[in-house]
Amino acid sequence: MITDEAEAKAWLRSLPQCDETAWDRLDQLVALLRDENERQNLVSAVSLDEVWIRHVADSAQLLTHVSRETGLWLDLGSGAGFPGLVVACLQPERDVILSEARPLRCDWLRGTVRKLDLMSVRVAEGAVEKQVLEPATVISARAFAPLPRLLTLSARFSTPDTVWLLPKGRSARQELAELRGWNHTFHVEQSWTDGEAGIIVGTLAGRKGKSRDQGRDC
């Protein structure tokens, strides 16, 4: 378990993806976040006191659940860019889509992508139910929507091989236990940054009792 800022930084430094360029990008991302948070509430002000554990390491831990292949990573409800921007900093060769509905957040995301020189990242602006996006290798969503709603909105971006990584905090086990109507392999992994938090991990095969194409309809 990662318990403080020093441990978070040390753990990040130990990741095979975290070379000096990646570290410099993460450090710049934190600085940009602090600056922008004075203009719009990207994250809670109190969480900035533990930004490396609460946002950076919390995002980076998702990489431990997927291979190092470079398929498309779709981050739904990206908001301040977590986990999507952290993934992109650590794997700049991976295509990443940051899906976000709020225009001000999208403006900040696009500006941050340019400043960090993340050439493989694009921002998809607009409500997720109206977006037309290609199937992803990985789908992440952090504090975006309750699990049934999330799957209804975004299952069409998934294939049977897509890995879903859904940080759910304390509600992870309850949300998964209450999920009905979907064929899936989801299970809960313990978060490394919060002893009471869980991450829903797995694949999705579609709605029960429907064909694959029907299961991907919103």
Side-chain angles (χ1 to χ4, degrees):
M1 186 69 63
I2 303 168
T3 60
D4 58 34
E5 292 290 88
E7 287 185 9
K9 290 181 179 181
W11 178 79
L12 287 160
R13 285 281 200 179
S14 74
L15 294 175
Q17 303 95 334
C18 193
D19 58 18
E20 286 305 312
T21 300
W23 181 259
D24 288 345
R25 282 184 168 132
L26 292 175
D27 197 43
Q28 187 179 1
L29 172 59
V30 168
L32 291 168
L33 176 68
R34 291 185 188 279
D35 182 61
E36 183 64 20
N37 218 57
E38 295 182 2
R39 287 183 284 273
Q40 60 170 312
N41 187 34
L42 293 172
V43 298
S44 68
V46 67
S47 73
L48 288 177
D49 293 335
E50 296 180 319
V51 65
W52 287 96
I53 186 171
R54 293 277 298 277
H55 298 298
V56 184
D58 189 66
S59 296
Q61 70 175 317
L62 299 186
L63 288 169
T64 66
H65 298 292
V66 296
S67 71
R68 294 195 66 179
E69 297 176 1
T70 58
L72 173 64
W73 188 302
L74 173 60
D75 187 30
L76 299 170
S78 197
F82 301 112
L85 283 178
V86 173
V87 169
C89 288
L90 291 166
Q91 289 191 329
E93 73 284 357
R94 184 190 283 273
D95 290 328
V96 176
I97 296 177
L98 309 177
S99 172
E100 174 56 44
R102 292 162 288 188
L104 282 177
R105 301 287 175 96
C106 289
D107 289 344
W108 185 78
L109 289 170
R110 281 188 287 262
T112 301
V113 167
R114 287 193 298 270
K115 291 171 184 175
L116 297 179
D117 195 27
L118 295 170
M119 303 299 292
S120 296
V121 179
R122 55 192 168 103
V123 178
E125 181 173 349
V128 66
E129 58 267 34
K130 297 180 180 179
Q131 292 187 2
V132 179
L133 302 170
E134 58 266 43
T137 301
V138 180
I139 295 176
S140 61
R142 187 178 186 237
F144 175 56
L147 187 55
R149 175 68 173 160
L150 171 60
L151 298 183
T152 297
L153 289 173
S154 54
R156 69 188 189 280
F157 307 137
S158 176
T159 75
D161 297 321
T162 299
V163 177
W164 293 70
L165 300 173
L166 309 174
K168 282 289 183 178
R170 298 177 182 180
S171 70
R173 296 187 186 282
Q174 181 178 348
E175 287 194 46
L176 184 53
E178 294 175 352
L179 182 64
R180 301 289 184 271
W182 293 92
N183 292 305
H184 63 82
T185 67
F186 293 150
H187 67 282
V188 175
E189 294 280 349
Q190 174 65 52
S191 169
W192 292 4
T193 61
D194 185 339
E196 297 182 345
I199 303 166
I200 295 177
V201 179
T203 60
L204 184 71
R207 289 187 184 275
K208 290 183 177 179
K210 292 188 178 183
S211 70
R212 177 64 194 169
D213 287 341
Q214 288 175 307
R216 289 173 63 181
D217 290 342
C218 276

